[in-house]
Amino acid sequence: MSTVLVPGGAGYIGSHTVVELAKAGYDVVIVDNFYNSKPEVLNRLEKITGRRFPFYEIDCCDKEKLRTVFEENKIDAIIHFAGLKAVGESVSIPLTYYRNNLTSLINTVELAGEYKADKFVFSSSATVYGMSEDVPFTEESPLGMCTNPYGWTKWMIEQILRDYSVSNPDMKICLLRYFNPVGAHESGLIGEDPRGIPNNLFPYISKVAGGTLEKLTVFGDDYDTPDGTCIRDYIHVTDLGSGHVKAIEYLDSHDEKVCVFNLGTGRGTSVKEAVAAFEKACGHEINHVIGPRRPGDIAVSYAATDKAFKELGFKAQYDIDDMCSSCWKWQTMNPDGLPG
């Protein structure tokens, strides 16, 4: 079976993808610098899969250290998660985001080309669709108009990979634009474990439900939506992991140079609906207040999923109730996040 290199494999989406790769029979090599993850993830992955994966504590911005991974392993495919990902932080330290996210990607791609690792899956994002409100977003929707440096790095990397594919006829590239990843592994052993105060809705709700944070602020209830709050396409992180496995399988069986797929459920859930679903999962009310709108938030965002279903054979299996119950299980088993 092929060996898949997973830069960022100790992170939230990366770790869940490693589980799905192992389940599908792939050999996996993980690279991570633990900037936004913890070594304990590796122990949890071993508990879930029964396998201890080769691991390198390396920053992908250090090309020569990263080279050792390719020297010591025959890498067939790469799923690239390594990168900074906090939208608000990217506005505060844009140069750090551009330097880190672009350099880590370029180093990995250069080495992939040099060592003939000719299948490359990139962890992109619906943020590349920017401020457009022409929903649902299809893979052909206009790109750009990004609202923050994080989103622009995703947009730029997609272009870098398209350009690179022209110069390297052997490389096959899949760009996966996913929407709002939430939830945790069914075991409760791995889940979203952000540093400090969570930026995303579900980790924040989890902390309020668990009593670690006092209240949730809902940013605006005057949008042109049925209940006035923003609508988003939330997708379970385990579904996302399986989508990455299907992307590798697709690159194995197709000659397409660059393919693009949305990964979402195709259904929108409002913030108020998400809070109500979490209240159902945890069995009590979530203390929340209505605050002003956040700059850059659009009213509605959800995916068109027809292409992923027809070509990848991908369809999300988990609904919003599953997402909330898995979040709550992770929170109750790990109230302070992972140790370390």
Side-chain angles (χ1 to χ4, degrees):
M1 182 57 82
S2 338
T3 298
V4 182
L5 174 64
V6 186
Y12 174 45
I13 303 171
S15 60
H16 288 79
T17 298
V18 167
V19 171
E20 298 306 305
L21 286 166
K23 193 188 298 184
Y26 287 93
D27 292 324
V28 178
V29 177
I30 300 172
V31 169
D32 208 295
N33 65 354
F34 296 128
Y35 178 81
N36 198 28
S37 58
K38 295 173 183 171
E40 175 62 20
V41 171
L42 304 175
N43 299 327
R44 302 293 179 94
L45 287 173
E46 186 174 11
K47 284 183 182 176
I48 293 168
T49 65
R51 292 164 61 182
R52 190 75 182 184
F53 302 102
F55 171 76
Y56 294 80
E57 186 174 350
I58 290 173
D59 187 330
C60 292
C61 290
D62 188 330
K63 186 177 178 182
E64 290 315 303
K65 283 188 179 176
L66 187 59
R67 180 183 296 279
T68 62
V69 180
F70 288 85
E71 287 283 347
E72 295 176 5
N73 302 273
K74 174 62 178 78
I75 304 298
D76 301 292
I78 298 168
I79 303 178
H80 187 82
F81 294 104
L84 303 176
K85 64 173 190 174
V87 168
E89 184 181 64
S90 79
V91 176
S92 304
I93 50 171
L95 296 183
T96 301
Y97 268 67
Y98 287 119
R99 180 185 302 111
N100 182 87
N101 291 7
L102 299 183
T103 304
S104 63
L105 180 280
I106 290 169
N107 286 347
T108 308
V109 173
E110 282 181 335
L111 291 167
E114 188 177 335
Y115 289 87
K116 311 300 181 189
D118 58 4
K119 292 179 285 290
F120 198 98
V121 178
F122 176 60
S123 160
S124 191
S125 165
T127 56
V128 298
Y129 296 123
M131 289 296 289
S132 170
E133 297 203 15
D134 186 16
V135 292
F137 293 119
T138 74
E139 288 81 356
E140 305 305 317
S141 292
L143 304 180
M145 299 186 293
C146 301
T147 59
N148 54 74
Y150 163 75
W152 281 116
T153 66
K154 295 294 188 184
W155 181 86
M156 289 175 182
I157 288 169
E158 285 200 11
Q159 189 59 47
I160 288 168
L161 290 171
R162 289 179 190 279
D163 292 340
Y164 180 71
S165 74
V166 176
S167 70
N168 183 342
D170 296 324
M171 181 73 78
K172 293 192 285 186
I173 293 166
C174 184
L175 309 174
L176 294 181
R177 297 173 184 156
Y178 32 84
F179 281 67
N180 296 70
V182 300
H185 189 263
E186 63 185 2
S187 65
L189 291 172
I190 56 173
E192 190 165 8
D193 186 21
R195 292 177 300 137
I197 302 297
N199 292 298
N200 296 331
L201 176 64
F202 274 77
Y204 207 106
I205 293 178
S206 297
K207 296 287 188 187
V208 174
T212 309
L213 293 173
E214 180 192 354
K215 63 178 182 291
L216 169 75
T217 299
V218 175
F219 296 112
D221 65 349
D222 57 350
Y223 286 93
D224 185 16
T225 61
D227 64 19
T229 63
C230 289
I231 291 174
R232 294 292 182 264
D233 189 339
Y234 298 103
I235 178 169
H236 198 292
V237 67
T238 296
D239 277 331
L240 267 186
S242 69
H244 288 78
V245 174
K246 288 185 180 296
I248 293 287
E249 292 169 349
Y250 184 89
L251 293 179
D252 267 332
S253 58
H254 291 74
D255 292 328
E256 209 171 334
K257 292 285 295 167
V258 180
C259 57
V260 183
F261 296 102
N262 286 336
L263 293 183
T265 64
R267 296 184 297 276
T269 301
S270 76
V271 175
K272 283 184 178 177
E273 288 171 333
V275 170
F278 210 102
E279 288 176 337
K280 179 180 168 185
C282 71
H284 59 80
E285 287 188 3
I286 305 289
N287 185 24
H288 65 279
V289 297
I290 305 300
R293 292 187 182 193
R294 253 187 335 201
D297 275 348
I298 59 175
V300 181
S301 171
Y302 62 95
T305 57
D306 301 357
K307 184 182 179 188
F309 179 66
K310 288 175 186 170
E311 297 184 26
L312 274 189
F314 173 80
K315 184 175 176 60
Q317 300 300 308
Y318 298 94
D319 63 18
I320 192 69
D321 289 333
D322 300 320
M323 298 175 210
C324 291
S325 60
S326 66
C327 267
W328 182 236
K329 182 175 183 179
W330 157 255
Q331 174 64 31
T332 53
M333 288 178 63
N334 308 273
D336 300 314
L338 293 176

